Amino acid sequence: MSELKCYGVWDAGIRWFHWINVLCVTALAVVGLVILNAGDLGVHNAGKVMLKTVHAWIGYVFALNLLWRIVWGFWGNRHARWRSILPGGRGYFQALRRYAAAFFSSQPEQYLGHNPIGRLSVIAMLLLMAIQAVTGLVLAGTDLFYPPTGHWIAQWVAAPGVAPDSLAPYAPEMYDASAYEAMRAYRKPIAVVHLYTFYILAVIVILHVAAVIVTELREGGGIISAMFTGRKVISGCPVDEEPCKSDISP
């Protein structure tokens, strides 16, 4: 039996990002679903404003956390950096085929960082979350006149004689009717993208969690606990550890 060895993998920046992101995505999903079904739940306008306000503030935390992850991809340890996360590059597709074949054999390959399939999953989630962040920030401007687009939206829809900075949500007497209708037409495709991206992201998150559990059972290594401790315990030589790379034929 190979000797177990402990490796430092996920630095503090990655671990903080991951768990803040988990909390934000969960809270945004719950509040978003309530907003989506507000009519059926009998939520009045004041309640909708409160829900959208909570959703927007959580969204700001979500967006800033995502921005932090993008920046940390240049500054973090080698497992956090973009070159270790982005799929593609020299030998990637060979590694992907090899990992998939080994996964269903009696000797699955072990990685310290993201395995080749995991890299696809992570990039898909980051792209979808970026779309959610950008569209959500725009929608916060159209619904609540919040930054970064809220000031511009308010100037667009304010009725003559009404100060844009004084606009309130669900106050049609403060809006120019034709400008407001035009704004809502501009908002509609953004809201559709935001909604359906959420559905796709929810499916991928579920698949991601399932894959982590299955990989933990098949390969071991403490994948789940590593997001708390930063360390993986692996028997044998991880594929992405330098001494092992030379043992793998190209």
Side-chain angles (χ1 to χ4, degrees):
M1 182 179 291
S2 300
E3 182 181 355
L4 293 175
K5 186 175 180 180
C6 185
Y7 297 86
V9 179
W10 305 124
D11 57 34
I14 289 295
R15 300 198 307 273
W16 275 103
F17 160 76
H18 181 270
W19 294 115
I20 292 172
N21 194 59
V22 168
L23 293 174
C24 286
V25 169
T26 302
L28 287 168
V30 171
V31 178
L33 288 171
V34 174
I35 293 171
L36 188 63
N37 296 282
D40 295 335
L41 295 172
V43 179
H44 298 294
N45 286 347
K48 291 178 184 177
V49 171
M50 182 193 72
L51 287 168
K52 289 183 177 183
T53 300
V54 171
H55 193 74
W57 280 106
I58 299 172
Y60 285 134
V61 176
F62 169 77
L64 288 172
N65 191 49
L66 182 60
L67 180 61
W68 159 256
R69 180 62 187 92
I70 293 171
V71 172
W72 199 243
F74 300 99
W75 290 349
N77 71 12
R78 70 183 180 94
H79 300 295
R81 296 200 175 196
W82 291 116
R83 65 173 175 265
S84 298
I85 298 171
L86 292 171
R90 182 181 177 184
Y92 171 76
F93 292 103
Q94 290 176 331
L96 179 63
R97 290 194 299 271
R98 188 171 56 244
Y99 177 81
F103 185 83
F104 294 102
S105 73
S106 59
Q107 293 182 321
E109 294 182 334
Q110 293 181 310
Y111 280 77
L112 291 180
H114 296 295
N115 64 55
I117 294 177
R119 287 161 71 176
L120 291 172
S121 171
V122 169
I123 288 302
M125 286 191 290
L126 289 174
L127 286 173
L128 290 169
M129 288 189 293
I131 294 172
Q132 285 297 86
V134 171
T135 55
L137 289 172
V138 174
L139 293 176
T142 64
D143 290 343
L144 301 169
F145 309 110
Y146 275 9
T149 62
H151 181 68
W152 175 70
I153 296 293
Q155 288 183 320
W156 183 7
V157 304
V162 176
D165 291 343
S166 69
L167 292 189
Y170 296 97
E173 68 279 2
M174 305 179 77
Y175 311 150
D176 177 271
S178 60
Y180 184 75
E181 287 302 314
M183 185 274 287
R184 297 293 290 182
Y186 155 81
R187 176 190 183 279
K188 185 174 180 179
I190 299 171
V192 170
V193 170
H194 192 72
L195 176 63
Y196 285 98
T197 301
F198 161 69
Y199 290 144
I200 297 170
L201 180 60
V203 171
I204 290 182
V205 167
I206 292 170
L207 292 175
H208 171 71
V209 172
V212 167
I213 294 171
V214 170
T215 304
E216 176 80 63
L217 294 174
R218 292 279 293 162
E219 299 176 13
I223 296 174
I224 297 171
S225 63
M227 269 302 166
F228 293 96
T229 66
R231 298 177 180 275
K232 287 185 178 181
V233 179
I234 291 178
S235 62
C237 197
V239 175
D240 52 348
E241 185 71 356
E242 289 299 330
C244 300
K245 289 182 179 179
S246 59
D247 297 333
I248 300 174
S249 59

